[in-house]
Amino acid sequence: MKNALGRLGAITLVVGSLLGFAAGTASAGNPQYIRSYQWQADCERAADEIRSGGDLAAYCTWDQGHTEWDLFVLSL
């Protein structure tokens, strides 16, 4: 249980940091790259967390050249 809470806290810290960074740099015309994921489900989960946090839009796109999913954020 303690490990699970520690991981949840770490995830919350990372997502919060990403949201703060994205809010300061992304605009409606300029999506901000956040990070890449190997699996689409992981990328979509992160995008859902960002979207639920406020006035930010988040989406995942397939990067054929790097064979990974890229997460982008923009402010609304």
Side-chain angles (χ1 to χ4, degrees):
M1 178 75 171
K2 192 174 185 180
N3 274 348
L5 289 176
R7 280 188 225 142
L8 179 61
I11 291 170
T12 302
L13 177 66
V14 169
V15 170
S17 297
L18 290 175
L19 285 173
F21 175 75
T25 59
S27 68
N30 185 24
Q32 180 67 42
Y33 167 81
I34 299 298
R35 66 169 287 195
S36 296
Y37 293 86
Q38 183 178 6
W39 306 107
Q40 182 181 13
D42 294 336
C43 187
E44 294 296 343
R45 194 174 306 112
D48 287 343
E49 289 177 17
I50 291 171
R51 285 190 291 261
S52 69
D55 61 345
L56 296 174
Y59 61 94
C60 298
T61 61
W62 175 248
D63 183 345
Q64 183 69 36
H66 294 111
T67 62
E68 61 193 10
W69 290 92
D70 292 338
L71 174 62
F72 289 90
V73 174
L74 54 100
S75 61
L76 301 176

